[in-house]
Amino acid sequence: MDLLTQEEYAAIAADLILPTNAYIDGGYRPAASGKTFTTVNPATGAKLAEVAACDQGDVDFAVAKAREAFEDGRWSRMHPSARKDVLIRLCKLLTRNARELAVMESIDSGKTILDCEIVDIPETIHCLKWHAEAIDKIYDQVSPASDDHIAMVVREPIGVVGLVLPWNFPLLMLAWKIGPALAAGCSVVVKPAEETSLTALRVAELAAEAGLPKGVLNVVTGGGAEVGEPIGRHMDIDMVSFTGSTVTGKRFLTYSAESNAKEVVLEMGGKNPCVVMDDAENIDMVAQHIVNGAFWNMGENCSATSRLIVHKNVKAELLDRITAHARHWNVGDPLDPETRMGALVSKAHFDKVCGYLDKAENVVLGGAAHGGTHVEATVVEVSGNDHQLARDEIFGPVLSVIEVASFDEAIAIANDTQYGLAASIFTSNVKRAIRGARAIRAGTVTVNSFGEGDITTPFGGFKQSGFGGRDNSVHAHDQYTQLKTIWIDLADDADEAVE
């Protein structure tokens, strides 16, 4: 997709018709209470819209409609190829409306239009298409029973699913969840983040246009206490998938235990290590990967490279190259395609990140904040892994650097964290690379690169970074299905009588 100019993107933004009401049972509807909340452009502080502030009553209504849709089979018992066709049509509509969605995503979240155009929107469409194509290609099983029996192991959709989204990748995380959930035949109730509700609402509207039956995809907007907790505690929701902070994620385990013991899948925080050994090849390439991992999406990324654990023999050279590359990550208007670093998602989050900057003692690069909205790409040397900047998930463009003297020390520090989402290791020694990848306790470990794998590889965390399942890949379908054994007795009744 060819990029436009800053002025052209601004013109598109000015002409957008923004959705403002919840989407339930196939149509937009205001909150039953009539209440709204204001959503703003985080880069400017300008009001975008008044969005329906839903509560328990709206959640109950959405769940009832989702349950009705699930039980009558309008989607759950639709032929797999027919479900696939609907989701493929949705992908075509998303492609047709890609630019509108990219601009809407940018002004609602502070993300750069560059990332929205070349990463978020294409990856969202690819994710939904991939799961759609998998619908009629995942087979059930027959177990090795006796000659007198057939035992079938079949997957059935789990039922009504609550999907609670983060604000850092609003569209992409929506796709990560509704892709496998809808593919499995579930009905869903989505709670987008309060800061970034607009694109989820627009996708629900496009899904209906694509032929998704009413009641199957519902989007309920509002705060965590008013919408998220009622979803977590609802007695008629069969499963919840949550992406967000570790603190909030743990609450859903409590909600489940105190309600109907619904299944819970959590993808939570990270303090992700990048280990660079003194035999790493092409230090300039290593620096590029680290800079991208640390500052992409303003560091508002659960798998961001936030701890650089570097051997003392290459630290100086590596920091020089990191500094050189990071200087190109400029802050500015997110609708300017030349901007690499957009606005942090909210004033509250900006203040949080700036609070960590105040604790920095040895700033190698950056460290400045601008306009109550932007934070520069920042590199900070810390005294050790016990420093607060090395332990807390900052969720901003801050890279903490820790010097080590050996491979064993590097791996020990990499694992010295409550998190275990992602990690990377740079070394030219193949045995060391494999040993390190196996030794680091994280859901994804990349070697000589930064990344999260792709749609074919499962994504999720160890320790307090994850619980209960994985996003992406065919494994994501598992969490939205139940396994059922169907045992068929083939023995001849007359034979049994003789025996």
Side-chain angles (χ1 to χ4, degrees), residues 57-247:
D58 301 289
V59 172
D60 289 343
F61 180 69
V63 172
K65 291 302 179 180
R67 176 60 64 187
E68 179 182 305
F70 182 78
E71 296 299 340
D72 69 21
R74 68 187 73 163
W75 181 253
S76 59
R77 292 195 291 275
M78 183 184 287
H79 193 280
S81 63
R83 291 205 307 271
K84 179 178 73 173
D85 289 343
V86 171
L87 293 183
I88 293 296
R89 285 197 296 271
L90 171 58
C91 290
K92 291 178 179 178
L93 287 171
L94 293 174
T95 301
R96 193 178 305 163
N97 293 274
R99 181 141 281 157
E100 168 204 345
L101 288 165
V103 174
M104 192 181 296
E105 188 88 325
S106 179
I107 63 174
D108 199 27
S109 68
K111 297 169 68 74
T112 66
I113 192 65
L114 177 67
D115 282 348
C116 292
E117 285 265 43
I118 69 173
V119 179
D120 293 58
I121 307 303
E123 286 297 316
T124 293
I125 296 169
H126 177 61
C127 174
L128 291 173
K129 187 180 297 184
W130 193 90
H131 287 294
E133 291 289 358
I135 290 175
D136 56 3
K137 300 174 182 67
I138 298 177
Y139 286 76
D140 292 328
Q141 299 169 316
V142 177
S143 80
S146 75
D147 194 51
D148 289 333
H149 302 90
I150 290 178
M152 297 186 295
V153 181
V154 300
R155 295 180 182 86
E156 295 183 352
I158 199 168
V160 175
V161 172
L163 304 175
V164 183
L165 308 181
W167 44 253
N168 57 334
F169 291 94
L171 264 176
L172 190 52
M173 294 302 99
L174 174 69
W176 277 24
K177 296 187 186 301
I178 67 171
L182 294 177
C186 298
S187 295
V188 302
V189 177
V190 177
K191 183 214 171 296
E194 193 171 2
E195 296 88 345
T196 53
S197 300
L198 301 182
T199 50
L201 292 168
R202 179 65 175 130
V203 169
E205 182 180 21
L206 291 173
E209 186 178 339
L212 191 72
K214 67 178 185 178
V216 175
L217 172 57
N218 307 277
V219 180
V220 184
T221 52
E226 296 78 13
V227 176
E229 183 173 346
I231 286 176
R233 293 186 179 279
H234 206 286
M235 296 297 292
D236 204 25
I237 287 180
D238 301 295
M239 178 263 185
V240 167
S241 178
F242 166 87
T243 295
S245 72
T246 298
V247 171

Side-chain angles (χ1 to χ4, degrees), residues 271-277 286-287 289-291 293-294 304-311 318 322 399-402 404 410 414 422-426 440 446 448-450:
K271 192 66 178 177
N272 309 294
C274 172
V275 173
V276 180
M277 299 312 301
V286 174
H289 278 285
I290 293 169
V291 166
T305 297
S306 50
R307 284 187 300 153
L308 171 57
I309 302 168
V310 56
H311 195 282
L318 181 59
I322 287 174
L399 173 65
S400 299
V401 181
I402 304 167
V404 295
S424 54
I425 181 168
F426 290 84
I440 294 173
T446 58
N448 293 328
S449 66
F450 163 77

Side-chain angles (χ1 to χ4, degrees), residues 281-297:
E281 295 179 333
N282 193 343
I283 292 298
D284 189 70
M285 178 274 293
V286 174
Q288 291 181 55
H289 278 285
I290 293 169
V291 166
N292 185 55
F295 305 132
W296 173 48
N297 203 51

Side-chain angles (χ1 to χ4, degrees), residues 283 287 308 310 314-326 362 364-365 379-381 399-402:
I283 292 298
L308 171 57
V310 56
V314 293
K315 185 181 78 170
E317 180 185 2
L318 181 59
L319 289 182
D320 283 345
R321 299 313 305 155
I322 287 174
T323 299
H325 287 290
N362 185 7
V364 176
L365 175 74
V379 179
V380 179
E381 284 197 68
L399 173 65
S400 299
V401 181
I402 304 167

